[in-house]
Amino acid sequence: MSAVLAPEAPVLDEDPFSDANIADPYPLFARMREMAPVVFVAPHNYYSVVRHVEAGIVATDYARFSTAGGVGMSDIRKPGAWRPRSPITEVDPPDHTRVRAALQKVLSPLVVKTWKDKFAARAEEVADEVVAKGRVDGVADISEAFVLDVFPSVLGVDVPPERIKLTGELNFNQIGPNNARTAAAMERAAPIMDWYTKVLGREYMLPGGFGEAIYKAEDSGDFDKGTAPLHVRSFFRAGVDTTMAGIGSTLKLLAENPDQFALVKANPALLKGAFEEALRLESPAQIMFRVTVGEVELGGVRLRADTKVGYQIGAANRDPRQWTDPDRFDVTRQTTGVHRSFGVGAHVCIGQMIARLEAESILGAVIRRVRAIEPAGPSSWRPVNTLRTLDTLPLRLVA
Ligand code: HEM
């Protein structure tokens, strides 16, 4: 590859994963977006891509920004890699294309449609319970009570909710740096790691789930032999915490913006927009990584070869170059397919319709039963390196 003449990216000496920046990342994102489209984050030796347009390029241009080094900050090709490569997220086209098509068959819209009644039934149960209580925690009583029940049941795995939370926290810390947060998550998850590697094996798949369908697809040659457990793991890791995070943030934003709640109440079709807008403003997956293939130019700056590049979803989704009044929650904003919360390009989220179906089921069931959703105390964010998710969300549901 010929040398690129553009100037080097400006250097940031601050740690985006400090406690303060994890608690409230937006002031730093705003400063980084003004520095340049690409900023070199010196404490962790990676390029951060913070503007909307360039984030889209990193996610889509796999010839220059490859997933072969893993979608986390550490390079899984280098010694000390802690886990095997995901056969879906960490493979570039054309190999990725074949695997993706096979997974798409397992998760076809027809299959997902058959889950609708199951989701609706559980949503009605959860909504009845929380509305009867009146004062609830939006995380534990609504988003977790719903997602931790329905997602494992359609995947067809029998996993206790507490263990799902531990492995989710581990995963989204490990996508980021190997810092104290990651170490603490590893320590908490250590006692269940043996169990975790086994429980996604074939003998544990419940009949009729899409986990079982993945193993059957492997039998018929759709996937390489031995990759089915890794596919099940990818779904398990990508599908649970992100969806809970999105539902929690939608509830928070509706509670804090009664005018927007009133719009959704008056026109339930706007619920879709409310969920997408919450995903834009509080993007569950905050950053995904690629690695540069040779020296490349992006947004007028030069990136060194073989270096990690993080496309910073949470920053791109508030880029004023893309969005008018980007920090405002507006349920009528047209964001679907434009925000970066589900990624873009070959690796765009394969489970997005499932996430939407889950969110619309539970949020719709709650909103139908209430006149208002009000904050009932301060909420708090869970400190996880790369996942923007609430820890607590005290709410009052006014029937
Ligand atoms: C609100 C909820 C969700 C969010 C915010 C989200 C976010 C994302 C993002 C940003 C990517 C792209 C990663 C990249 O570019 O490297 C992705 C890919 C993926 N997601 Fe989701 N996701 C959600 C729900 C789900 C669900 C419910 C499932 C499973 C049913 C799922 C399974 C996957 C898989 C398997 C991939 C990898 C696709 C590929 O590499 O081709 N996600 N997701």
Side-chain angles (χ1 to χ4, degrees):
M1 181 154 303
S2 61
V4 175
L5 295 176
E8 289 253 9
V11 175
L12 180 82
D13 286 316
E14 188 174 338
D15 181 4
F17 300 89
S18 69
D19 288 347
N21 286 329
I22 286 288
D24 180 12
Y26 305 114
L28 175 64
F29 288 165
R31 276 187 281 129
M32 288 167 80
R33 276 191 309 259
E34 291 320 304
M35 284 168 77
V38 185
V39 174
F40 184 71
V41 179
H44 299 295
N45 196 35
Y46 74 95
Y47 293 102
S48 178
V49 179
V50 279
R51 294 186 190 167
H52 187 266
V53 168
E54 288 79 8
I57 295 172
V58 171
T60 26
D61 185 353
Y62 53 84
R64 295 192 305 155
F65 302 99
S66 165
T67 61
V71 293
M73 185 187 285
S74 74
D75 193 327
I76 59 170
R77 299 165 304 179
K78 305 218 159 127
W82 65 274
R83 60 181 169 82
R85 169 187 309 283
S86 156
I88 171 83
T89 55
E90 293 169 339
V91 181
D92 290 320
D95 292 344
H96 172 265
T97 316
R98 184 179 65 86
V99 178
R100 173 98 183 188
L103 278 178
Q104 208 90 59
K105 230 168 44 185
V106 175
L107 271 187
S108 74
L110 273 180
V111 172
V112 174
K113 229 169 141 189
T114 63
W115 303 340
K116 210 172 167 179
D117 292 346
K118 184 182 267 207
F119 288 5
R122 178 65 185 152
E124 298 296 310
E125 268 172 27
V126 171
D128 279 342
E129 276 167 31
V130 289
V131 173
K133 271 196 200 166
R135 270 183 80 113
V136 298
D137 186 86
V139 176
D141 299 330
I142 302 179
S143 68
E144 290 182 357
F146 179 74
V147 176
L148 292 176
D149 181 281
V150 296
F151 190 79
S153 95
V154 294
L155 183 56
V157 294
D158 185 12
V159 183
E162 275 318 305
R163 293 190 169 193
I164 302 181
K165 282 167 65 179
L166 273 182
T167 53
E169 195 188 310
L170 178 65
N171 175 41
F172 280 96
N173 276 308
Q174 283 179 322
I175 288 175
N178 191 7
N179 59 10
R181 241 172 256 120
T182 305
M186 284 171 80
E187 202 177 308
R188 277 194 293 276
I192 64 162
M193 285 322 282
D194 274 353
W195 163 88
Y196 181 48
T197 46
K198 281 190 217 120
V199 77
L200 303 180
R202 179 168 211 146
E203 61 281 21
Y204 290 91
M205 295 297 110
L206 304 175
F210 74 89
E212 184 192 48
I214 289 174
Y215 278 92
K216 285 186 178 159
E218 185 189 280
D219 292 343
S220 54
D222 286 354
F223 302 127
D224 292 343
K225 286 277 168 247
T227 56
L230 301 175
H231 284 301
V232 177
R233 191 197 61 178
S234 291
F235 277 101
F236 191 72
R237 286 164 39 150
V240 187
D241 304 270
T242 47
T243 310
M244 292 193 299
I247 292 171
S249 293
T250 312
L251 285 166
K252 178 177 191 286
L253 288 161
L254 286 172
E256 288 171 353
N257 296 274
D259 59 324
Q260 299 299 304
F261 175 82
L263 289 176
V264 176
K265 184 73 190 163
N267 178 6
L270 287 175
L271 177 55
K272 287 179 195 299
F275 181 58
E276 299 294 324
E277 177 69 339
L279 295 181
R280 181 187 71 81
L281 269 180
E282 303 291 1
S283 316
Q286 283 277 302
I287 186 166
M288 301 304 300
F289 290 86
R290 303 289 189 261
V291 68
T292 48
V293 179
E295 195 173 76
V296 297
E297 183 270 329
L298 179 66
V301 296
R302 175 158 45 104
L303 279 62
R304 291 197 301 267
D306 204 27
T307 307
K308 280 285 175 158
V309 183
Y311 78 95
Q312 194 81 55
I313 298 172
N317 276 342
R318 291 184 183 226
D319 183 357
R321 290 158 195 81
Q322 175 66 33
W323 314 97
T324 310
D325 206 355
D327 298 328
R328 196 163 69 86
F329 178 60
D330 174 0
V331 299
T332 64
R333 200 192 286 270
Q334 298 301 308
T335 58
T336 310
V338 186
H339 68 59
R340 301 295 189 216
S341 301
F342 288 120
V344 58
H347 292 278
V348 69
C349 181
I350 200 169
Q352 54 185 291
M353 72 289 192
I354 303 173
R356 291 193 180 105
L357 187 59
E358 287 181 61
E360 285 160 29
S361 305
I362 183 62
L363 294 168
V366 172
I367 291 170
R368 273 197 299 284
R369 287 167 169 76
V370 297
R371 256 187 312 123
I373 300 177
E374 294 166 357
S379 57
S380 58
W381 295 98
R382 194 171 294 167
V384 182
N385 281 335
T386 69
L387 183 75
R388 182 83 173 147
T389 195
L390 287 159
D391 208 11
T392 53
L393 177 64
L395 295 175
R396 189 170 18 255
L397 304 177
V398 186

